[in-house]
Every structure is written in structure tokens, then in C-alpha cells.
Amino acid sequence: MHSICFQATGVPRSNYIFDSCSPALAVSKPINLRFCGLRKEAFGFSGLAHSSSGRVRFSSRGHSKKVSASAESNGSPPKSFDYDLIIIGAGVGGHGAALHAVEKGLKTAIIEGDVVGGTCVNRGCVPSKALLAVSGKMRELQSEHHMKALGLQVSAAGYDRQGVADHANNLASKIRSNLTNSMKALGVDILTGVGTIVGPQKVKYGKVGFPDNIVTAKNIIIATGSVPFVPKGIEVDGKTVITSDHALKLESVPDWIAIVGSGYIGLEFSDVYTALGSEVTFIEALDQLMPGFDPEIGKLAQRVLINPRKIDYHTGVFATKITPAKDGKPVIIELIDAKTKEPKDTLEVDAALIATGRAPFTNGLGLENVNVVTQRGFVPVDERMRVIDTNGNLVPHLYCIGDANGKMMLAHAASAQGISVVEQVTGRDHVLNHLSIPAACFTHPEISMVGLTEPQAREKAQKEGFEVGVAKTSFKANTKALAENEGEGLAKLIYRPDNGEILGVHIFGLHAADLIHEASNAIALGTRIQDIKFAVHAHPTLSEVLDELFKSAKVKAAALSHGPVSEPVAV
Amino acid sequence: MASPFLSNTTISFSSSLSSSSLPRIAPSIPFSSIRSNSTPRRILTVRSKIREIFMPALSSTMTEGKIVSWVKSEGDVLSKGESVVVVESDKADMDVETFYDGILAAIVVGEGETAPVGAAIGILAETEDEIAEAKAKAASKSGASTPSAPPPAPAPGAASTPAPPKSTPAPAAPTVAEGPRKTVATPFAKKLAKQHKVDIESVVGTGPYGRITPEDIEAAAGLSPSKKNVGLAVVVETKPAAPAKAPAASAAPSSLPPPVPGSTVVPFTTMQAAVSKNMVESLSVPTFRVGYPVTTDALDALYEKVKPKGVTMTALLAKAAAMALAQHPLVNSSCKDGKSFTYNSNINIAVAVAINGGLITPVLQDADKLDLYLLSQKWKELVEKARAKQLQPQEYNSGTFTLSNLGMFGVDRFDAILPPGQGAIMAVGASKPTVVADADGFFSVKNKMLVNVTADHRIIYGADLAAFLQTFSKIVENPESLTL
């Protein structure tokens, strides 16, 4: 593969656009050209013009796919396969992979034992967004102060629980059918049943009580996702002690609910429940709430999302035992100190939501048939999502993407990994840069991030010997945010002053989840601050928060006269 | 500059924040250093070379601040306008900048520690010569407050330096003492208690499982209960409460206890508030009552027969009432505006039940059309839903006639209040063996129950009710039709 690529140095660790030396992508991706076009317009005068013209050149090269495909099959005995690609699991990851595979001309099948759409569409991101949309509107309508400031008068806002629940359910089924139809329309075979690997390039599937079918494929992608993780000692009854699966059905709105875990899931549900009138108690094993976030963002988020709301919290404690409400007793939660393991407290609440993370769903996949042992349930993979067996060797033609490999448990990460795998099996080496994958938490206001947090960046800087710069802008200075009366918010840029590389961007504020992509795209494409700061943003928009952010960064003069090509950020 | 200095002259060099401008910027621009040129206290007559750095008041409500981080370390040279320390107030993190050039001689309050507004958090020396003196001062400062104070650590950050005496106005709510009696308070109740300085231990919880609710705190603080935006909207959702099997009457509003010393005032739950509102509203309707004794031997016999099939007495009575209403549509009507009859096309029997300290009326819709078994089934579902707080609005507010039965408690007769929006309500007493004499003078013992109907006299008159009751009585006395 590398031989046909004359930008070989960039290939092994690069990501999308920089691999456009691959003939296959260049032919099929008009996006490249469009992007280059934008760059030409926006940065015609900047140093990057060189690289973009280089890309245009690659794009116009026309190697046929067949060349790479035959190269790929070199070394394996000529066999006939039922499919080029079989994907086990029709979640967002599998769906993304399937669509891209069809685009690349692969005969593709997807095996699903449950419903198309997986966790995200049926029990995760999608229905939760419906609930959060409701909670956002409730919050606005309930905030008398906010309404008054806009000159609006609203009498007591109320809601119908079933109506809200129906909205979430309807959204999930709509997206599910969209997903199903998009795959059917493209000719992806949807095989129903539980998929099991029976040997190299061989999968069996079938419904319970029916004979199994065996299909073969040149390549197999495992995309079986995850299920809510419930620590032991916690008895989930689905009514008063629940996981996100149950909570999304919104069968009840308890007066007081304890949420175990203050990550994304817990935080989003606290937003929903408090907007609908519940009081919330967080239980967090670590010493701080929102442990995954940049500390500064986490602190601000706590000030806005936790402290003023009907929420209290216990940090540094484990919930060792949770008993559902029964026999006239409330839900009882026993807490121990996370460090000393000594009993600390007992809580009595109306309900408990277990949001302690997610566990891979990899049981019964038949991994033993290809000599693979999972690690805490996760399928071990290398940076190209190739499955690694017990001896540390790669299993040929077997890949694992998404929550099942545990690299980055986000729907869009799974999809990106799936696309990366398809790129590889169609003859173009590709490594996904996980640091360019954005993440968002859809509270009100939203939190989003990409790349490193400040402490991570500082640690890396110390190791590698570079300087770290931090720039921040406030939503308070943004016209559009003020027009919406939503000036609460902060955007934070972590960068290298010596070369203008973006290391991480963190946003807390109105529509943060939509704003992050300018930063994540810049990271993915290796765009430097000194270049992106010349990009024009419409006025007045929230995107100007990022504009300000890039402009306020202080990149050293030396970096401004950098070489012709900005190298992509290494993984 | 060899002039004698007054080491006790304290100049608040961090007071460069004009407090009037603070509330505006208060919530979070942690990174922007705040400058203000108007500092009233800046006119100095005596210049001191050792200055204390004070905990600034960063917002109008701030009483104490936490040191997030020292931007400068001990020994660093500071120039006017530089950020020295980041302080977390109740609202935001803010950089505090120095107002004087000098050397940060000592850090008195380390990172992560808290100090009241106005307390010294660090010592600034003007020249290197004064550092030792400044350190001594710092040591004495911290030494005075904490006997075991180690000398200020020379290391940057000096996190080991103990805090000065905290005149902390004692957290309003003392932490919950681990004792035999465990106080359970909801998160918002705790917040309110802190805000209103209510000792949470002194509050008696009236919420479910005896927990302290926000309403309890408000009552204890002498506040009128704040309006609950959400609560109002979902007003009839039941609140879980102690599993007391209180009779329905207990939820009805009795007159509030007079303000006898030592009495406790317990605010209504949302459901109880809704009941109260409805009851007061009912006073605007002119009602009257008609009673009727009904012989129930046949009904009792039928009940014994169908009981194994899951039929309840409630379903039997609802069915009987519905069948009687079918023949007397007037009694199923209501008067909405005081000018007209509103005839309801459906016969929906609302049945009052006591549930979790409240009162709710799940509705058996089309009770005349559903057969007894379906009706019983439906009733079971409704009660379960009511317990789980899952009744839909149309499942409790669509009644056209209400049935209230206290017979199971041995009540022989009672009087019900007509709920707003309905024409009549039936109060059913217990069925009791009663000696009766027939026309020929023969005595016999029959089970009799007293039925008392309250009706809106604007639309339903005495004769109407009497006729309705007669029909009802006939149906109950010949209950075979109920099973059809």
C-alpha cells in the first residue's frame, strides 16, 4: 500500500484527509475537493495553500479500486465468499461501516439479533436527546427570571409524562426506520439473528428455535456494542432501581432520584429529571464530580448545572448495595468510602439510576473459535481495529469497532472506526486519530470537547518538552449568546504556542455540542491556529466564540513562517 | 525608603476590585483579570513595606473564599497589576492581582484552603531585606491561629500553611449527626435549610418515609411555600407516602388546628393542596342530599358468587350506579355555567380512594357499557396505576358521577361533598343486618345499606334524585342484570 502513496511518511499515523493519496478515497470523495476549495478561498494567501494544491493533485489521480483490492487478497487462497464484508451488530458503528462499504463497492451484510440502531438509536443518544429537548424547553419556560428578561410572560409550565415518553419513543422508532431504510436502499443485506464467529471468515447466525445459517465473508467486523454496566451489589428491578435503558422510557418521574455516576449519562439524566421536578443526589466514586471533563470546565459546569439546581452529591464513595423499594420501604443505598472501604452513609430515596458506565456486549460471539480472549469483556484490537488473539498476533480479516473494543465509547467514534476499517480492507491504510473525535454532553447548556484536557496536555508537554498555551473566551462577549440571554459559558483552547497546533478545545455554553466541530475538524485536518484564525465566521453567530478563541491564542512568530505542510496531529 | 514602617498598617491591596462592579461579572470569567481604578480605600498616608494580602470580597454575597491556586510562589517578584492568586467565591474563580510592586514573602492560606473575606492570605514585602521579617509575621499570623502551625514552607504553593482563624459563620445546617435517629432530607431541602439558616435537625419531616421536604424547611423558616412550577402542573400525581391505610376522610381538609402553643404546622402536599382547592370551590354550588336504604341480600349473594372471578364490591356498585344513571341521564349531567345543563354522553364513574395520605378518584369510563369482569379488571389496573403515580389525567378527571364507599370501615351513613364539575356524588355506607317489618307485620332480618346522594340543586331536584335512587335500589335488589 505504501508504495503507491507518495506521501508515505504521513500515512501510517495520519487520518482522513492526509490519506487522500489513496486512490480509492480520492476518486470517491468529493468532500476533499470541496474542502480544498474552501481552503483556497479562505487561505489562498496562507502557507497552507501549498498543501491544498498538493491534495488536489492527489485527488485527481485515478488508480482503480481493483488494483488495491487484488493487492489486499494477495497471500490468501482464492476462495469464494458469500460477502465481501459482514458486520455483526447494526448499531451506529455497524451502520456507518455498512454505508461506507457499499460506497466502496463491497457486497455487505449486517447481522442484528435485536433491533437495528443498537444502543444509540434505541436506548441511548437518540431517545435521550428527545428527553433533553423537553427538559431544555421546560427549563426555559420555568425560568421566570429568564423569560422576564426577554419580555415574555408564561403561566406555569407543565408537562404530561406520557407525552414526553412518547416523544422519545417516537423519535427512536423514526430514526430506527431511517437507518433500516438507508441500508436496505443501498442493498445491504440485513440478516436477523445472533451472529457468532465459527472460524476464520465464517459467521453463523440464526434466531432461537430456527436452524442456523452459515455465511462467509472476506472480512468481518465485530460491532456488538455495549450494555449498561451494573456494579455488583446493585439489584436492578427496572422500576425503582433502573439503568439508562429503563430511564429513557420515562415510566415515572420520581420525587427524589439518586444517580450513581456523574459522567455524561448521569449528568444528562440529572438535567432531565430536575427539569421535570425531581430532586437528584449524585453518587460519585471519584473525589470530584464530572471526572472526565477538563477540570476548569467541570468546575464551571458544576456551578451552573449542579449547585443552583435541586441536586446534592456524595463524592469519593461507592454504592455497595442498592435495594429496590419494596414492602413499604424506599430505595436503600449503602455507601462506603472509596478509599478506606468503611461504611459511610445510607441513603433513602425514591429511585436510583445506575449510570456507572457501560460494559461491552461480547458474550457468545464465538471469539474462542479464533483464539481471542476478551479483556474485561472488551475485544483487544490494535490501532487499526484489527483483533488481537491470545498470542498477541493479529487475527486476519477480523476487526472490532465501537464500544466492544472500548477505545472510545461513543457512537460516532464507532462509525468512524468502521469507516476506517472499510478504508483498510479496500486497500487504503488508515488510522483513525481518536484525539480528533469530539464528544458532547447535552445538558443545558451543553458541554463539548475534543482532544486533550489541560492536565493531559501539560503532562504530555512535560514528557515531550514543549510549552502549553491556554486561551479562553466567554460567551458573555458573544452577541448571539447575549441575544438569547444565554451568556453563561466558556470556550477554552489548549495549544502549542511554538507551532500553533491545537491540542484540545473544551466548550461549555449554548450549543456547545454543535460548536465543537470547527475545532475537531481542525485537529483532524492538522489545521494550525495561525491558519484557522483567518477563516471568516458569520456575524452574529455563536461560532464567533471559537473565532475569538483562535484569535486570542498567542502563537509564536517563528511558527507563522512554517513549512509548506502542517503535519497531522499524531495519535 | 529607610523610614520606619508600620508593619501593622494593613492595606488591602487586593481590594482593587470595586465591589459595586462585581455582581455584574460575578458568574465566571475566571480567566479575565479584573481591573478597576476606583478604589476608595487607596488613599494612603503611611506607606508600609510589609503588606498583607487580603481575601477580597468578590461578590456582594461572598463571606469566604477558597484559594484555588497561587499564581505566584513565595519569593516571586510581583509587579503592580499582575495576577497573584486565584480565588473561588460563591460565584466564580477570579484572578486577584497585586496593587503594589514587591515580593511575595509568604503565603498564609494555602491552595485549597478557605479564608473569610478580609483575612490575610499572604504577605508582601517590598524588598528582599524584609522577607525574613515578613515571614516571621506570617508565621506569627498562622501561629496565633493554629498552635501547631509549622513555619511557612519555602516551597512554592506552601500548601502546608494552615489557614488563619476562620470566623466562619458556621455552616447553617450542622452536619447530620450519626445517631440512632437518622435525618433524611431531600437535596433541595438541604439547600433551602442552608439558605434560610434552618437547623435541619429541628425540623420534623412530613415527606414520604418521614423525610424532610423543601416544604418542611419553608414552613420552619416561616416562608409561604414557594410555588412549584412543575408540582402544579402534575398536581394530581400522587406522592408516595408512608403506607398508612388511612380512610379517605383523613385526607379531606379538616379545619386547621388552632394556633395552640406547641402545635406544628405541616404544609399540604401537592395532592392535598389540590383536594383543598376543590373542596373550597365546592362551596359555590348549592347542594342537597337524599338518603335511601337499599336491601343488599341479593347483591351480597351475587358478590360471593363472582368474587372468585376477581369482581370487587366497588365494581358491582359502580356498575349498578352506571346502569341507574343510564336511565336517569339528568343525574349524570352537570352544570358548568349556572345557566344550562351539560348532558354527558358517557357514564364515567369516579371512585374515591385513599391512597398514600391523599385522595384520588380513578375513573371507570363507560361503566354502563363494560361488563362486570372487564370493569373489575379495569379497576385493578387503575388502583395499581394510582399507587405507582402513573394515572393519566383522563384517568382521574373525566368522571361524570362519583362513588364514595366507606362501608368497609363500618360507617353506616355519611355525607359526601360534591366535586366541582359533577352533578351528583353517592356516599355508600356499610350493609348491616337490620330488622324489617313487611306490610303484613312480619319481621325479618335483611342486610340494608344506606345510600346518600349529594347533588347540585341547580339542575337536579329532589324528585329526580329520588327516582334515580329508586332505580338504583331496584338494580341492587335484583342484581342479576349486573352480570349481563
Side-chain angles (χ1 to χ4, degrees):
Chain A
M1 280 313 302
H2 291 199
S3 58
I4 58 160
C5 178
F6 41 86
Q7 207 191 19
T9 50
V11 167
R13 319 183 65 188
S14 64
N15 55 62
Y16 228 77
I17 199 93
F18 284 84
D19 286 309
S20 50
C21 48
S22 153
L25 179 77
V27 169
S28 62
K29 277 282 176 191
I31 292 163
N32 266 344
L33 292 168
R34 199 174 65 201
F35 185 83
C36 293
L38 168 77
R39 283 210 160 168
K40 268 189 167 166
E41 281 162 35
F43 300 120
F45 49 88
S46 81
L48 263 193
H50 295 273
S51 61
S52 56
S53 65
R55 278 193 208 103
V56 172
R57 205 142 45 85
F58 298 145
S59 308
S60 56
R61 272 179 69 99
H63 278 288
S64 82
K65 288 174 229 167
K66 276 183 187 161
V67 176
S68 48
S70 59
E72 175 71 19
S73 53
N74 264 355
S76 59
K79 270 194 247 174
S80 79
F81 292 103
D82 297 327
Y83 292 99
D84 294 322
L85 180 66
I86 284 183
I87 301 158
I88 306 176
V92 168
H95 176 259
L99 258 54
H100 194 60
V102 171
E103 191 184 325
K104 299 298 241 175
L106 300 185
K107 188 179 180 211
T108 308
I110 197 160
I111 300 176
E112 178 56 60
D114 188 23
V115 284
V116 170
T119 296
C120 174
V121 172
N122 299 295
R123 298 173 299 273
C125 349
V126 171
S128 68
K129 292 307 96 58
L131 298 184
L132 282 157
V134 172
S135 80
K137 291 189 165 67
M138 275 301 280
R139 260 181 214 298
E140 262 180 53
L141 294 172
Q142 283 172 10
S143 169
E144 218 174 296
H145 168 74
H146 182 98
M147 285 288 154
K148 228 184 227 165
L150 296 172
L152 290 177
Q153 288 175 348
V154 177
S155 55
Y159 69 93
D160 163 27
R161 184 198 52 77
Q162 192 57 47
V164 179
D166 289 347
H167 172 51
N169 191 31
N170 292 344
L171 180 70
S173 32
K174 187 168 183 177
I175 304 296
R176 182 165 61 234
S177 72
N178 284 355
L179 234 57
T180 312
N181 292 341
S182 70
M183 288 197 289
K184 278 188 184 153
L186 288 171
V188 175
D189 285 350
I190 301 176
L191 311 176
T192 311
V194 177
T196 308
I197 295 162
V198 288
Q201 298 173 293
K202 209 177 272 178
V203 180
K204 140 188 124 171
Y205 74 95
K207 284 186 225 176
V208 180
F210 289 90
D212 288 335
N213 303 299
I214 293 202
V215 279
T216 57
K218 212 178 275 174
N219 289 291
I220 296 168
I221 298 180
I222 298 167
T224 44
S226 62
V227 291
F229 169 68
V230 178
K232 64 174 195 290
I234 297 179
E235 188 188 329
V236 171
D237 71 344
K239 298 274 180 228
T240 56
V241 180
I242 59 179
T243 66
S244 56
D245 286 2
H246 310 105
L248 288 166
K249 292 184 190 147
L250 201 72
E251 280 175 352
S252 69
V253 178
D255 288 346
W256 184 6
I257 185 164
I259 299 182
V260 186
S262 66
Y264 296 68
I265 303 175
L267 211 52
E268 290 190 352
F269 274 109
S270 79
D271 195 282
V272 171
Y273 279 117
T274 52
L276 298 184
S278 303
E279 295 182 42
V280 168
T281 295
F282 270 121
I283 296 166
E284 172 58 56
L286 296 173
D287 286 338
Q288 282 214 309
L289 289 178
M290 297 180 260
F293 298 88
D294 183 85
E296 198 170 350
I297 295 285
K299 208 165 182 184
L300 179 60
Q302 184 171 337
R303 255 185 216 127
V304 176
L305 300 177
I306 309 252
N307 295 352
R309 297 185 179 170
K310 296 177 181 177
I311 300 177
D312 68 351
Y313 48 86
H314 300 258
T315 52
V317 290
F318 284 128
T320 43
K321 188 158 184 254
I322 300 185
T323 319
K326 59 186 163 199
D327 309 328
K329 284 199 195 118
V331 174
I332 295 170
I333 302 176
E334 286 171 25
L335 299 179
I336 61 161
D337 189 292
K339 291 194 190 87
T340 64
K341 310 288 176 207
E342 273 164 28
K344 192 127 184 232
D345 209 344
T346 306
L347 305 181
E348 295 177 8
V349 292
D350 295 325
L353 168 65
I354 313 305
T356 41
R358 301 188 59 86
F361 181 60
T362 51
N363 266 350
L365 255 177
L367 289 167
E368 61 284 358
N369 299 331
V370 284
N371 197 26
V372 171
V373 175
T374 59
Q375 291 161 3
R376 291 179 303 124
F378 293 109
V379 178
V381 293
D382 71 352
E383 79 278 9
R384 288 175 176 77
M385 309 303 141
R386 294 178 291 198
V387 174
I388 299 169
D389 71 12
T390 34
N391 306 321
N393 300 323
L394 295 176
V395 181
H397 310 292
L398 185 62
Y399 300 82
C400 178
I401 62 168
D403 288 3
N405 72 29
K407 270 185 181 290
M408 199 176 203
M409 295 174 85
L410 295 167
H412 48 276
S415 185
Q417 290 171 357
I419 289 168
S420 173
V421 168
V422 171
E423 285 293 305
Q424 291 172 56
V425 303
T426 52
R428 195 184 71 113
D429 191 24
H430 185 271
V431 176
L432 181 67
N433 176 7
H434 283 86
L435 284 177
S436 74
I437 297 179
C441 184
F442 294 83
T443 43
H444 297 93
E446 295 170 345
I447 312 170
S448 63
M449 71 212 71
V450 64
L452 304 175
T453 63
E454 190 177 335
Q456 286 168 344
R458 294 208 181 275
E459 197 188 321
K460 188 177 171 188
Q462 200 155 23
K463 244 185 253 160
E464 297 176 16
F466 60 83
E467 206 186 314
V468 171
V470 174
K472 298 172 211 174
T473 51
S474 166
F475 278 62
K476 270 197 186 66
N478 181 275
T479 313
K480 189 71 191 309
L482 291 177
E484 302 277 349
N485 206 12
E486 303 269 6
E488 194 81 70
L490 168 73
K492 176 173 175 181
L493 166 70
I494 299 149
Y495 65 102
R496 282 181 67 157
D498 57 342
N499 62 7
E501 180 185 328
I502 301 171
L503 300 173
V505 172
H506 302 263
I507 310 174
F508 174 74
L510 184 64
H511 296 311
D514 293 309
L515 291 176
I516 195 69
H517 298 98
E518 181 166 9
S520 62
N521 287 353
I523 293 181
L525 306 177
T527 313
R528 297 291 159 99
I529 293 166
Q530 56 269 34
D531 298 318
I532 202 169
K533 70 192 272 193
F534 289 108
V536 180
H537 296 73
H539 177 74
T541 57
L542 291 172
S543 72
E544 289 171 291
V545 169
L546 286 190
D547 190 24
E548 289 269 323
L549 189 63
F550 295 131
K551 286 188 166 115
S552 67
K554 292 187 174 54
V555 180
K556 291 199 172 124
L560 301 179
S561 55
H562 64 75
V565 178
S566 310
E567 285 300 316
V569 182
V571 180
Chain B
M1 285 293 176
S3 59
F5 55 81
L6 300 170
S7 62
N8 58 351
T9 312
T10 52
I11 286 117
S12 153
F13 86 140
S14 53
S15 66
S16 58
L17 299 152
S18 95
S19 61
S20 64
S21 72
L22 274 164
R24 302 303 311 153
I25 46 164
S28 86
I29 322 179
F31 46 91
S32 71
S33 48
I34 297 135
R35 286 156 199 280
S36 161
N37 299 320
S38 58
T39 309
R41 282 195 275 156
R42 251 178 72 211
I43 311 131
L44 312 169
T45 46
V46 182
R47 295 228 24 188
S48 160
K49 290 191 208 149
I50 295 183
R51 298 185 170 97
E52 291 180 353
I53 303 174
F54 290 112
M55 174 61 71
L58 295 174
S59 77
S60 53
T61 53
M62 178 171 166
T63 55
E64 57 175 25
K66 187 174 156 194
I67 307 293
V68 177
S69 62
W70 281 92
V71 180
K72 300 288 177 183
S73 315
E74 287 183 359
D76 283 1
V77 178
L78 311 178
S79 51
K80 198 172 149 184
E82 264 188 305
S83 292
V84 182
V85 61
V86 181
V87 171
E88 179 182 352
S89 74
D90 52 340
K91 300 246 167 59
D93 285 359
M94 287 194 201
D95 284 14
V96 175
E97 56 195 50
T98 165
F99 215 63
Y100 298 98
D101 295 341
I103 297 163
L104 182 59
I107 287 170
V108 180
V109 180
E111 292 184 4
E113 292 177 33
T114 307
V117 167
I121 55 175
I123 308 286
L124 184 72
E126 193 156 278
T127 64
E128 280 190 33
D129 306 337
E130 287 144 6
I131 290 182
E133 191 178 339
K135 283 198 170 172
K137 185 176 167 179
S140 73
K141 266 218 159 296
S142 43
S145 56
T146 26
S148 63
S160 63
T161 318
K166 287 183 214 163
S167 70
T168 333
T175 41
V176 176
E178 277 303 309
R181 186 178 79 98
K182 189 172 153 54
T183 309
V184 178
T186 73
F188 189 45
K190 282 187 217 154
K191 269 182 194 174
L192 280 177
K194 201 169 176 189
Q195 197 182 328
H196 297 297
K197 304 204 181 344
V198 171
D199 178 3
I200 216 156
E201 290 295 323
S202 70
V203 177
V204 178
T206 63
Y209 314 105
R211 76 168 69 125
I212 298 166
T213 64
E215 290 81 10
D216 294 337
I217 301 292
E218 279 169 343
L223 302 167
S224 56
S226 65
K227 54 180 165 20
K228 287 180 75 181
N229 288 330
V230 175
L232 279 180
V234 290
V235 71
V236 200
E237 286 219 74
T238 59
K239 293 229 166 199
K245 289 222 174 71
S250 75
S254 54
S255 60
L256 283 170
V260 178
S263 63
T264 42
V265 177
V266 178
F268 286 149
T269 62
T270 38
M271 185 201 261
Q272 288 161 346
V275 171
S276 167
K277 181 173 154 282
N278 275 348
M279 291 304 98
V280 173
E281 252 174 48
S282 73
L283 291 177
S284 64
V285 177
T287 54
F288 74 112
R289 293 138 190 97
V290 175
Y292 205 102
V294 182
T295 309
T296 61
D297 294 74
L299 186 73
D300 294 341
L302 175 68
Y303 179 50
E304 286 308 316
K305 252 199 304 197
V306 292
K307 205 173 166 183
K309 295 176 192 166
V311 175
T312 60
M313 186 49 98
T314 301
L316 278 169
L317 290 171
K319 178 76 180 165
M323 287 174 65
L325 287 170
Q327 295 179 42
H328 300 268
L330 180 69
V331 183
N332 193 44
S333 72
S334 59
C335 180
K336 306 263 189 223
D337 52 4
K339 294 179 204 149
S340 61
F341 297 86
T342 302
Y343 285 97
N344 295 302
S345 51
N346 298 19
I347 296 176
N348 298 338
I349 307 287
V351 186
V353 286
I355 219 153
N356 301 336
L359 170 64
I360 196 159
T361 55
V363 174
L364 288 163
Q365 294 181 352
D366 292 320
D368 57 324
K369 300 201 179 81
L370 290 183
D371 74 39
L372 201 51
Y373 305 101
L374 277 175
L375 213 55
S376 304
Q377 183 63 35
K378 185 84 201 152
W379 179 243
K380 249 185 220 133
E381 285 170 27
L382 286 170
V383 170
E384 270 163 30
K385 273 182 160 177
R387 289 226 166 85
K389 301 198 298 176
Q390 287 176 350
L391 280 183
Q392 299 303 302
Q394 82 274 6
E395 287 174 330
Y396 56 73
N397 64 15
S398 62
T400 59
F401 180 90
T402 302
L403 188 68
S404 180
N405 182 4
L406 292 182
M408 59 286 228
F409 300 107
V411 170
D412 69 338
R413 81 196 80 177
F414 71 107
D415 174 31
I417 294 182
L418 180 63
Q422 291 182 20
I425 179 171
M426 178 186 278
V428 181
S431 180
K432 295 202 294 192
T434 311
V435 180
V436 289
D438 68 10
D440 299 324
F442 288 111
F443 290 96
S444 62
V445 174
K446 294 217 186 285
N447 285 335
K448 288 240 175 206
M449 73 177 181
L450 284 171
V451 172
N452 194 12
V453 178
T454 306
D456 182 345
H457 208 297
R458 289 172 301 175
I459 48 171
I460 302 165
Y461 308 154
D464 302 325
L465 265 197
F468 164 73
L469 281 166
Q470 206 172 14
T471 308
F472 177 76
S473 157
K474 275 206 184 104
I475 291 168
V476 172
E477 281 161 19
N478 305 287
E480 294 73 29
S481 61
L482 291 176
T483 56
L484 295 180

